[in-house]
Amino acid sequence: MSCAGLLIVYVQRVSLSLAIVCMVNHTALYAPQVSRSGDKPLAENATITTTLGWTTDLTTLPSNTSLDHSSAQNDQRCGNADDLTGEVPNSDEDGPFEWDKRTQGLILAALYIGYSIGQIPTSIAIHHFGIRKTLSGCFLVMSLCHALCHPAALLSPWAVFTLRIISGIGQGNAIISAFALWRNWAPVHEQSRLMGISFCGEMLGSIAAFYLTSLLCRYGFLDGWPSVFYIFGGVGVVWSIGWFLLMRDSPEQHPCISPAERRYIVMTRAADTEVDKVSVPWRSILRCPCFWAYAAALLSFAWGLFLMLSNLPTFLYEVMHFDIESNGVYSMLPYIATFVAVSAAGFIFDLILERRIMSKLVLRKVVTFLSATVPGILLVVMSHMQCHQATLVVTMLTIAVGLSGLAIPGGFVVYAYDFAPRYAFQIFTVVNTVTTITGVIGPYLVAVITADRTQEQWQIVFYITGAVYLLSTIIFCVLARAGVQPWAVPGKETEVPPPPTEDSEIHLN
């Protein structure tokens, strides 16, 4: 259920980044030599007023026929390419809205505004009402808001902006709920694989979103793109009902669990049940190098994740010139690689730790290097590829995004459970809230940097991403420490029994 919930969260999150390509009238926005009526040229000193009120002075543009001359040249150069896709996007794929790049950036960033401001309040709600009730309610509201994006878009881009903020609050709750769930349910020996399976929903959701959105945009009802919102929103409503009926906050509360399984989980989980009754030592946490190592690593992970989810389809459309169907197919390939990597890595990392092939800290640092530095290098190199090298671009993107997923089961994402298992949920909530600012800044910053849609402008974006990855890796490797920190050790420790064997009495339903 947790995996399915995160799948739906990411379907609703990512689908707009591809659907917006179908919703925008690119011909009207990027062919200013033709008037809105299409029958006479614009005046020499004409301006265009965008949907949200910004004004573009056309006298600052080249005197030729396009806002983006280099893009037009690339279209001509790659229009007959046989590499992955030979179809150049055209006016047949235009949508009804003349939303310029800044407007699109604000709409894409809106979800992360809600995601950021809603996490701490929803974590308080989880504390008082439990994961089951809080998440069911938030998920229901989030899904209804997603379904209403179609009529909102017809009304105003600001209406979509508002709904996405509300959706972001629900999505923030879903992420921290999925993290908090394993505080009560995960035996310490199975943390990596259980969190890996759970968070695989993120990759599966990205895969489903890119592929299904591209198909719905072209073949869906109500002219295609509106079906994206109604279908994915409806699935979320069904899941929220199922979660409320089937879920319980802990093994102690679940009516279907066997006594043996309940006893084993309670005895082997990392967190103690008394943690909610004690105050969180924030002063000690903020003085701890481990906390800042965790924060730096999670910041870079969030930057790269949100950048890819929000802007990958736009990059493939503007620089690689993929049509909408090819865009959906090739945007999902990196997340297929991530799903495979995360699914396998959870079991491998648990095996490495059980057999003591390397220490937990060494494993975290090695995985962090592989999941951050290597993707950063690949993205920088990829940004210099030309549109006729589309196969190489997609391959490098697939490897980069696939490797970044290793951070979930074996890297810094689970590191909070290493140095402060009692307070891992609180630390994750606060750090994740702060790092979500990258989701707010990222789409808008990318929209400003890539205003002319040139490859050189996109290179700046990927150079920034590579620098963020490299700096965070250095900080994590220098500051991360092994073992539970003194301020996180409970007053009374209990011995953790070994994992069950085939001869044990524990039988799992």
Side-chain angles (χ1 to χ4, degrees):
M1 285 297 293
S2 177
C3 178
L6 290 179
L7 184 153
I8 296 169
V9 164
Y10 269 70
V11 163
Q12 294 184 8
R13 177 185 297 187
V14 176
S15 58
L16 180 61
S17 65
L18 186 56
I20 203 168
V21 177
C22 311
M23 297 165 67
V24 171
N25 190 326
H26 302 274
T27 303
L29 285 174
Y30 300 112
Q33 75 283 2
V34 179
S35 69
R36 297 303 162 91
S37 61
D39 57 4
K40 63 179 181 179
L42 293 169
E44 185 177 348
N45 60 348
T47 62
I48 293 177
T49 301
T50 63
T51 309
L52 296 185
W54 289 292
T55 299
T56 300
D57 185 357
L58 297 184
T59 59
T60 62
L61 299 172
S63 57
N64 54 19
T65 60
S66 174
L67 275 174
D68 185 7
H69 182 55
S70 62
S71 180
Q73 289 177 332
N74 287 338
D75 287 349
Q76 185 177 5
R77 183 173 63 251
C78 298
N80 296 319
D82 295 325
D83 202 2
L84 282 185
T85 177
E87 182 181 349
V88 176
N90 55 59
S91 59
D92 293 337
E93 296 179 348
D94 282 338
F97 305 113
E98 296 179 20
W99 296 345
D100 71 324
K101 292 278 287 186
R102 292 188 181 185
T103 305
Q104 296 174 48
L106 280 174
I107 291 175
L108 292 174
L111 183 138
Y112 299 103
I113 296 175
Y115 188 92
S116 177
I117 65 177
Q119 288 192 70
I120 292 179
T122 53
S123 67
I124 296 174
I126 288 173
H127 176 73
H128 289 285
F129 303 108
I131 296 174
R132 175 191 175 214
K133 295 178 181 178
T134 305
L135 183 55
S136 295
C138 288
F139 217 96
L140 180 62
V141 173
M142 173 191 78
S143 299
L144 290 175
C145 287
H146 190 76
L148 290 173
C149 279
H150 171 225
L154 299 177
L155 180 64
S156 165
W158 287 114
V160 181
F161 182 83
T162 302
L163 287 177
R164 293 291 286 180
I165 289 178
I166 299 173
S167 294
I169 295 175
Q171 294 203 7
N173 175 264
I175 299 298
I176 63 174
S177 294
F179 188 86
L181 187 70
W182 301 113
R183 182 179 65 176
N184 294 330
W185 278 97
V188 68
H189 307 286
E190 303 174 25
Q191 265 183 1
S192 292
R193 71 192 73 170
L194 287 174
M195 290 192 71
I197 293 171
S198 177
F199 281 88
C200 270
E202 296 183 355
M203 280 65 71
L204 289 173
S206 301
I207 294 167
F210 284 125
Y211 182 67
L212 295 178
T213 301
S214 66
L215 292 181
L216 290 173
C217 280
R218 178 158 287 185
Y219 306 111
F221 55 85
L222 296 177
D223 270 341
W225 63 266
S227 62
V228 172
F229 301 107
Y230 290 119
I231 292 176
F232 296 155
V235 172
V237 170
V238 173
W239 184 92
S240 66
I241 297 172
W243 178 267
F244 184 81
L245 296 176
L246 299 175
M247 172 61 189
R248 296 298 184 272
D249 288 352
S250 68
E252 293 92 327
Q253 300 172 5
H254 206 289
C256 300
I257 193 171
S258 70
E261 183 184 6
R262 180 186 297 113
R263 183 170 58 255
Y264 171 68
I265 294 174
V266 169
M267 293 177 66
T268 58
R269 59 191 176 192
D272 57 281
T273 57
E274 300 296 317
V275 65
D276 291 331
K277 300 179 182 179
V278 299
S279 60
V280 181
W282 286 113
R283 183 175 298 180
S284 298
I285 291 174
L286 293 175
R287 292 176 177 175
C288 180
C290 298
F291 170 79
W292 293 107
Y294 180 67
L298 198 59
L299 177 69
S300 75
F301 180 77
W303 173 268
L305 176 67
F306 298 151
L307 175 75
M308 290 294 106
L309 292 179
S310 298
N311 299 106
L312 179 57
T314 305
F315 168 75
L316 294 179
Y317 184 87
E318 294 181 352
V319 178
M320 293 294 111
H321 308 296
F322 285 9
D323 62 76
I324 190 63
E325 195 165 351
S326 299
N327 200 326
V329 171
Y330 296 114
S331 292
M332 79 176 183
L333 288 180
Y335 297 98
I336 294 177
T338 307
F339 169 71
V340 173
V342 172
S343 300
F347 292 91
I348 295 173
F349 295 153
D350 278 341
L351 184 65
I352 290 174
L353 295 176
E354 287 175 10
R355 296 190 177 182
R356 299 185 179 182
I357 297 175
M358 64 177 66
S359 70
K360 187 176 289 188
L361 180 63
V362 172
L363 176 66
R364 301 289 185 243
K365 291 184 177 182
V366 170
V367 173
T368 297
F369 177 83
L370 291 175
S371 64
T373 305
V374 176
I377 295 172
L378 289 175
L379 290 176
V380 169
V381 174
M382 179 210 69
S383 68
H384 290 272
M385 302 291 104
Q386 302 300 319
C387 56
H388 62 271
Q389 299 173 295
T391 300
L392 185 57
V393 168
V394 172
T395 301
M396 297 180 77
L397 267 175
T398 301
I399 296 173
V401 179
L403 284 177
S404 67
L406 296 178
I408 295 174
F412 49 80
V413 173
V414 294
Y415 179 60
Y417 280 111
D418 295 345
F419 73 88
R422 296 190 95 199
Y423 310 110
F425 170 61
Q426 291 88 342
I427 292 173
F428 175 80
T429 300
V430 171
V431 174
N432 200 42
T433 298
V434 175
T435 57
T436 304
I437 194 67
T438 60
V440 179
I441 296 174
Y444 186 74
L445 182 63
V446 171
V448 173
I449 293 175
T450 63
D452 298 326
R453 309 191 304 164
T454 65
Q455 183 173 11
E456 291 74 16
Q457 291 173 338
W458 278 101
Q459 287 171 357
I460 296 174
V461 172
F462 289 117
Y463 269 105
I464 293 173
T465 302
V468 170
Y469 275 152
L470 178 60
L471 181 60
S472 67
T473 302
I474 295 173
I475 293 175
F476 182 83
C477 291
V478 171
L479 297 182
R481 301 287 187 271
V484 178
Q485 297 303 293
W487 45 265
V489 176
K492 183 179 180 181
E493 297 183 42
T494 56
E495 184 178 355
V496 176
T501 63
E502 294 181 357
D503 298 328
S504 67
E505 297 180 343
I506 298 173
H507 303 284
L508 305 182
N509 289 339

